Structures are given as C-alpha cells and as structure tokens.
Amino acid sequence: MYISLSNKPGPDEQEGAPPGVAPRGPRGVRTVSSTVVTLGIVSMLTDISSESVSAILPLYITGVLGLSTIAFGFLDGLYQGVSALVRIAGGYVSDRVDQPKWVAFVGYALAAVARLGLLFGSGFASLTAVITADRVGKGIRTAPRDSLITATSRPDNLGTSFGVHRTLDNIGAAVGPLLAFVILLVIPDGYDTIFATSFAFAAIGVLILGVVVPNVRSRARKAAPAGSERSDAAPRRRFDWGAVTSGPMRRLLAAAGMLGLLTIGDGFVYLVLQSRGGFAAQWFPLFYVGTNVAFLALAIPLGALADRIGRARVFVWGHLALLATYVIAAIPIADIAATVLCLLFLGAFYAATDGVLAALAAQLTTPQTHGTGIAAAQTVVALARFVAAVGFGFLWFAVGRETSMLIVAAVLAVAIPVAAVLLRPLLPARGRP
C-alpha cells in the first residue's frame, strides 16, 4: 500500500477517475487518496480534543463540580447516546444536498464551539447543553465524513482506506488522554487549561477541513452540450430508502444491532481491571491509551484483510476479540500481562469492526445512499451499545462484576455464530462490491 499525496492522476494512472479518488498504482499495490489522509488528520485533531476531555470528565463532574454519581450517569449516557439520534439525519441531508464536506463541516464546527462552552459551564444544566451540542456535532459529521472517504476510494480498497482513517483517528484518541494526564501532572487543578487546549485542537481541525478537503460529490456530472450554459447538469435521482432498509442492508442492521447489545461500555471493562489489579485512580486514563494504541496498530492490517477475504467475515469474527476481552477481564488474576492482553483484544475488536462496518454499509448501498446507509448502521450500533451499557450497570449491581461479565461473554459466544448465519450471503464475498 502507498498513500497518494495528490488527488490528480498522473500520466501512468487511471484516466477519468473522480477528483479525490486514489489512482490505481502498479499491480498488487493499494493506494489511499490524500483526501482520506487529510480527513484522518482532521479526525486525529478532533479526537485529541474530545478524548482529552472525556478522560477527565468523570473526575471533573464528581470531584470538582461536586455533582452526584446519578448526575454523572445521566451525563455519561447523554455523551454516549445523543450522537446516535442525529446520525441518520446527517447522512440523509448529506445525500439529499450532495454536499458531504459542508454537512460534515457543520458537525465539526458545532463540536468545536461546544469545547469552548466547557470553559464557562459550571453547573448541571450548562454541562447538559454543552455535552448535547458536542454529541450532536459528532452525529452530524460522522456519516458525511465516511461518505467522503467512500467517494474518494476505490471500491476494492475501501477497507484499507477506512483503516488508514481510523488509524489516524485513534492516534488522536491515544494522545488526548496522555495530554490531559500531562497537564494535570504539571498543573494539578488545570481543568480550564485542558478545556482551552481542547478547543484549540478542535478549531485547527475545522480549519483544515474547510480549507484543504475537497467537496467530492457522489453524483456523476455529465458534460453539457455545446453552447449550454451549464456543465454539471446531471439529473437528480430520487432518494431510495429501500437501498438502506431492505435486502442485504437489513441483514447487516440486524446482525450489527444484536452484537451491539452485547458490547458493554469500555469503562466497565476498565473498572473491572482497576479493581482487580489495584491501579491508582490517576492512572485510569491510561487504559484508554492502551486500547487506542492497539486499535491504531491493527486498523490498517485488518482493513486490508477485510478487503481481501470479505468485510462481513472480518466484522463478525472480530467479535471473538471482544469475547476474549470479557473472559480475560472476568478471570480474577491480578497480573499486568493479563491487563495488557485484555486491552490488546479490546483494541483489536474495534479495529476489526469500526471502519469495517462503515465500509460494509457503503458496499451494500448505492452511491446516492452511502451517507444514510453508513449512518443507519452506526446508529443501530450506537443505540444498541447505549442499551447494553445501561443494562450491564443493572446486571453488575444485581450479581457482581465478574459474574455479570461472564454472563455477557456466554451470551456473546452464542450471538457470534447467529450473526454469521444472518450474514451468510455476504461472508464468502470479497470486499469489493
């Protein structure tokens, strides 16, 4: 694989490729367009911004502001679930107006402004408004951004493109908690410093998106006849909801939703590891770092594997890594090696499912419905995981942490082959549509 630093094909490259699409290199070599890389940099900067805040938000809400754990639970649920409610809307608007870049820009800009609001919000109501705005921004931007990745990638290389993007994204997700950790180490009461730094990174990401990323559209443009005043007059086709809600997409949504119901929040896994190993509370953000380092190391290889052997296969069997995470976390062994192995499997799970799910949804929809299809899959997963987190909290309270983890692991062990049966028509297929 090599990365194309230009969106224009060279003399020996494909002719007629859309702007922003990676040119086909020599036989056996896979390319990733500069647009994918730039979007990855934007996501990296945004994740540095968001993860530096989310890593200290529990401590800030309960320790600094003195709010109750009930209030924190509500805010955390808001943080996890609000974006899911607007993802389909963001993807749908992007598809309807065929302006994916500027729809994504609105989402990134809204999240950046929300970061600034953290400097002034010091109560439950203000934090609710800030977190809601931030998550709405995330929901708006996700599908249009992934639609841009799809539009600027070759169909046979889509998993690799998403892998590159997710790798850059998770560099930011790993750097963010480290940045917050260092700031608090130097300035023990430096929460405002973290919030200001977070806004700066988000603003730079928005600027790069607005200035550098091209607005690549999914609809083909036809040349106008000689003497015509318009040169981009392709007829607008009616949006087809059936491409998102029927056929193979229905199977994908069902399988992804079922598996999402058994994907509890990372925080629960980290709490089990902390209680088992006796880690000091100030080291808690480093669990996030470990998972994201594993994610970024494996995102490109697993994305490329999905392109070769089939995206549905990698998505389904990637949940075996999640099963291994639950089993290792539930075993009462206070060993650093077990903790590292648990974080490695958790990162591998995300690398095998996050970008691969988006690539699979794009594969199963039409160019006119890529954004909505990707958003539909991501929304189903996000809502299912929100339900899973709430349900697991009650299960933990009822039977204890290790027993509840083993129960979820047992159900997941049954759900994985069921998902494989649901997606059976797609499992033998190669990654290319």
Side-chain angles (χ1 to χ4, degrees), residues 109-136:
L110 180 58
V113 173
R115 298 279 185 273
L116 188 61
L118 287 170
L119 289 168
F120 307 101
S122 58
F124 178 77
S126 58
L127 278 178
T128 299
V130 167
I131 290 175
T132 299
D134 173 60
R135 295 295 92 183
V136 167

Side-chain angles (χ1 to χ4, degrees), residues 36-341:
V36 172
V37 176
T38 307
L39 286 170
I41 293 172
V42 171
S43 292
M44 178 182 67
L45 293 169
T46 304
D47 257 29
I48 291 175
S49 171
S50 62
E51 295 301 322
S52 64
V53 171
S54 63
I56 56 92
L57 205 55
L59 183 61
Y60 177 73
I61 292 173
T62 59
V64 178
L65 299 182
L67 299 180
S68 67
T69 53
I70 296 177
F72 168 68
F74 175 80
L75 292 171
D76 187 59
L78 205 63
Y79 194 87
Q80 299 295 331
V82 167
S83 66
L85 301 178
V86 294
R87 287 193 186 196
I88 291 183
Y92 177 72
V93 171
S94 172
D95 288 335
R96 288 294 290 174
V97 303
D98 202 20
Q99 296 283 345
K101 169 185 172 176
W102 296 114
V103 175
F105 181 87
V106 170
Y108 278 105
L110 180 58
V113 173
R115 298 279 185 273
L116 188 61
L118 287 170
L119 289 168
F120 307 101
S122 58
F124 178 77
S126 58
L127 278 178
T128 299
V130 167
I131 290 175
T132 299
D134 173 60
R135 295 295 92 183
V136 167
K138 178 178 175 60
I140 291 173
R141 73 181 182 245
T142 301
R145 179 203 64 204
D146 288 349
S147 182
L148 273 173
I149 293 173
T150 302
T152 56
S153 301
R154 298 199 320 270
D156 66 330
N157 200 33
L158 193 54
T160 304
S161 293
F162 275 106
V164 169
H165 176 269
R166 279 3 183 215
T167 296
L168 291 168
D169 181 84
N170 279 275
I171 290 175
V175 170
L178 279 176
L179 178 63
F181 176 77
V182 170
I183 290 175
L184 290 181
L185 195 65
V186 176
I187 311 172
D189 195 27
Y191 295 99
D192 284 349
T193 303
I194 293 175
F195 297 150
T197 304
S198 171
F199 170 73
F201 276 101
I204 294 172
V206 171
L207 181 63
I208 292 175
L209 175 63
V211 174
V212 180
V213 175
N215 187 32
V216 180
R217 305 184 183 189
S218 60
R219 299 191 187 113
R221 295 294 193 263
K222 295 181 179 180
S228 173
E229 295 180 359
R230 298 183 61 186
S231 60
D232 61 347
R236 178 168 295 189
R237 299 175 59 185
R238 181 169 181 161
F239 185 86
D240 181 16
W241 277 105
V244 177
T245 59
S246 63
M249 268 300 294
R250 184 184 299 176
R251 289 177 173 269
L252 176 62
L253 295 178
M258 178 184 64
L259 293 171
L261 288 172
L262 297 168
T263 307
I264 64 173
D266 297 351
F268 286 117
V269 176
Y270 300 152
L271 287 172
V272 172
L273 293 176
Q274 186 187 35
S275 64
R276 184 182 69 186
F279 293 101
Q282 61 264 34
W283 297 100
F284 191 81
L286 298 185
F287 285 128
Y288 293 88
V289 176
T291 298
N292 285 308
V293 166
F295 189 162
L296 68 90
L298 296 172
I300 294 178
L302 290 178
L305 180 65
D307 287 333
R308 289 198 301 271
I309 70 173
R311 293 160 192 154
R313 180 179 284 114
V314 171
F315 174 75
V316 171
W317 300 122
H319 284 78
L320 290 173
L322 181 64
L323 177 60
T325 300
Y326 292 163
V327 172
I328 295 173
I331 298 175
I333 303 176
D335 188 288
I336 187 65
T339 298
V340 171
L341 190 61

